[in-house]
Amino acid sequence: MPVGDSDNRADDHASVPPALSLPLAIRELLDADRTAVILLGLDGRVQSANETALELLGAESVRTMTVGSASHAILRSMLDHAPRHLVNGTTDGVWQGDIDHIDAMGEHRIFRATVATRHDSTLPNGGAIGIAAHDVTISRLNAASLRHRATHDSLTGLANRRQILATLAHALGDQRGHPGHVGAIFVDFDRLKHVNDALGHQVGDRLLISAAQRLSDSIRSHDRVARIGGDEFLVVCTGLADLSAAFELAERARRALTGRLRLRQLDLPLSVSIGVAVSDDEVLATEDDMAAASTLISNADTAMYEAKSNGRGRSVLFTSAMRSAARERAELASDLARAIADRRLTIDYQPLFSTVTHQVIGAEALVRWNHPQRGLVPPNEFISIAEEAGSIGQLGEFVLDQALLETRVWSERGVIDDDFAVHVNVSSVQLASGTFVNAVMGMLRTHGVRPDQLVLEARETALLGRNADADRSVRTLRRLGVGIAIDNFGTGANALSVLTEIGADILKLDGAFGLPHGSSDTDTRLVRAVVLLAHALGMRVVAQRVSDIDQLRHLRAAGCDAVQGNLLARAGAAADMVSSAPF
């Protein structure tokens, strides 16, 4: 009787043993492994089953198995997955595979099964069919979950960078030799960090989840969107006729993400900067699809930064001119990294003068880079490159180490007094580093310089970043005697709150604050008010970029403790350090 035609009558099994005729140790091993083993005759009747199989089949013994029972349904699923020639034919063989089964409760279960058929006239009924099955539902679901997590963002559920890169590479491969373009739309949220700082990362996360949904709703059904960074998203668009079609899609996304978003009684402003790039000839000239995809994303990223630098809240198309500029910046970044490693940068020092004694009380270390081919590169240009390229930490360490070395030399030569302090600019990246404090104290010990002979200058934006590691570094350094200065005060949005929220020793007024050329008495009163507030908080005040005698007079009248600027002394080499002011 072929398998499946048996009626499985109970009296047919009157003499059937309830478990396999296997050695006890093997049966115990199979049961411990939760492997169900069932032996069928070629006529489809159950001959034996181990305890795990009986539990799986919902039967106390093989005697209770009847047509239409749950056990019969599971057996049917197992046999239906196996090749027909094994269960109904005359051929011996083995099959392995996964079996999907919906049980009586409607639950989806997955079994890893092996079905083996043996035809042998010496066996009862001329042979047997053996089934070994293991429930792998949980492990398969866990594996599927791991695969999903490997390719998707855990916060928004969107594809992640790895997945979207593969999607883009596949799209570029399909596009080759056909009309049209593949587009990459790089979306970056403007000032999301301010939301995190002011309202916490939980609010920022909710904003990202909501924005991800709005972005997904704004794109075409066959386009794909991914979250590739903290506040960065990428949309891959296929079948684009031209650049204008890509730009229109970018503008659609920008409009969907621009405006005010209400989250739990909070009304938050929202805007994005978007870069757009399409698969031009240069991108497609790269034969490797993954490399071409990386290039296209890089182009869109470059265009996004162009949108940021042009005022934010806009979409910008990538151009060949941007490619040249990006290549130039990449080359400069590489050259800068080598210059730092080889210590081929130089330091100029601009003195700080006391408004009371007219003596030099400090000097600010200003890094200079004379490129072998390009000549003198402006500091604001190569410092921003260092920040983008991630070499700002190494650059800062070089400047600090050199400045402390020069301070020791000046001290040994009697050029400076005992109350002199060298001022060195530091970045938010350095302050947030867990090793920064130890590095500073190690350099002070190496060069034999006292902690109070060093002042670290940081912009208010770096000090107000709500970064716990940066706050910890500032507090620790001040406790150890290192001075902290708020640099360029008066240029940021937090000019007043910075005075009360940051623990610092020195306030450095920006040259444009309150006292431009031709200052009035009103300007003087404004500066005097800031000076009085700073003094009340235990800070000394240094005015920067003093460029004419009237400005100097007003600053002295306002109560500034020290001044620096080209009127008094230009930045120069360490060997040119002066000891007193020319006023």
Side-chain angles (χ1 to χ4, degrees), residues 286-548:
T286 305
E287 294 184 2
D288 182 84
D289 290 339
M290 289 296 284
S294 296
T295 299
L296 191 58
I297 293 175
S298 177
N299 291 347
D301 186 22
T302 298
M304 183 276 295
Y305 274 105
E306 187 73 13
K308 289 276 190 188
S309 62
N310 287 334
R312 296 185 173 90
R314 64 192 65 204
S315 302
V316 171
L317 284 169
F318 179 80
T319 65
S320 57
M322 292 180 196
R323 180 182 289 119
S324 299
R327 187 177 293 118
E328 181 178 348
R329 289 183 72 83
E331 292 173 355
L332 274 175
S334 177
D335 293 344
L336 177 59
R338 285 194 296 269
I340 295 171
D342 296 340
R343 301 183 72 86
R344 287 188 280 107
L345 302 171
T346 59
I347 310 293
D348 283 348
Y349 298 89
Q350 185 168 50
L352 282 69
F353 299 96
S354 167
T355 56
V356 177
T357 66
H358 299 186
Q359 298 299 305
V360 171
I361 60 171
E364 181 177 355
L366 302 169
V367 64
R368 303 288 186 252
W369 182 25
N370 193 0
H371 192 280
Q373 284 80 42
R374 303 172 187 266
L376 199 62
V377 182
N380 59 343
E381 181 177 338
F382 72 78
I383 289 175
S384 67
I385 289 175
E387 290 173 342
E388 291 175 13
S391 59
I392 190 66
Q394 294 88 334
L395 176 61
E397 287 181 8
F398 164 78
V399 176
L400 180 58
D401 183 70
Q402 190 66 26
L404 292 177
L405 172 63
E406 301 290 1
T407 300
R408 186 191 68 188
V409 172
W410 289 329
S411 181
E412 291 174 348
R413 294 179 179 176
V415 175
I416 59 175
D417 292 334
D418 195 52
D419 59 353
F420 177 94
V422 65
H423 290 229
V424 178
N425 291 279
V426 293
S427 67
S428 58
V429 173
Q430 289 174 274
L431 289 174
S433 170
T435 62
F436 182 63
V437 173
N438 287 337
V440 171
M441 301 311 294
M443 289 185 200
L444 287 168
R445 287 191 296 270
T446 297
H447 295 296
V449 176
R450 302 190 316 271
D452 64 341
Q453 290 180 291
L454 172 64
V455 174
L456 298 177
E457 297 187 5
R459 290 179 176 269
E460 59 193 68
T461 51
L463 294 169
L464 274 177
R466 299 291 194 281
N467 186 298
D469 293 327
D471 290 345
R472 190 179 302 111
S473 294
V474 169
R475 290 195 302 271
T476 303
L477 287 165
R478 293 190 71 208
R479 187 174 65 250
L480 294 172
V482 175
I484 299 294
I486 302 170
D487 196 18
N488 293 101
F489 177 81
T491 60
N494 304 297
L496 293 179
S497 62
V498 71
L499 290 177
T500 55
E501 294 188 32
I502 297 177
D505 305 284
I506 296 174
L507 182 69
K508 298 194 75 172
L509 292 178
D510 185 78
F513 178 75
L515 285 171
H517 299 291
S519 301
S520 66
D521 290 338
T522 301
D523 297 323
T524 303
R525 287 196 297 269
L526 177 59
V527 175
R528 183 182 291 116
V530 173
V531 171
L532 288 173
L533 179 57
H535 285 170
L537 295 172
M539 301 182 196
R540 289 171 290 146
V541 179
V542 177
Q544 305 177 92
R545 296 209 293 273
V546 180
S547 56
D548 66 48

Side-chain angles (χ1 to χ4, degrees), residues 9 37 41 43 82 86 101 103 131 143 160 264 293 298 312 324 345 348-349 365 389 408 433 441 576:
R9 289 173 297 177
V37 180
D43 59 1
L86 286 184
H101 176 71
D103 64 19
I131 301 173
N160 60 14
R264 296 189 182 181
S298 177
R312 296 185 173 90
S324 299
L345 302 171
D348 283 348
Y349 298 89
R408 186 191 68 188
S433 170
M441 301 311 294
D576 301 327

Side-chain angles (χ1 to χ4, degrees), residues 17 100 140 157 208 248 277-278 313 322 385 494 508 516 537 554 561:
D100 292 287
R140 289 290 191 273
L208 285 172
E248 174 53 35
V278 298
M322 292 180 196
I385 289 175
N494 304 297
K508 298 194 75 172
L537 295 172
H554 282 287
D561 300 284

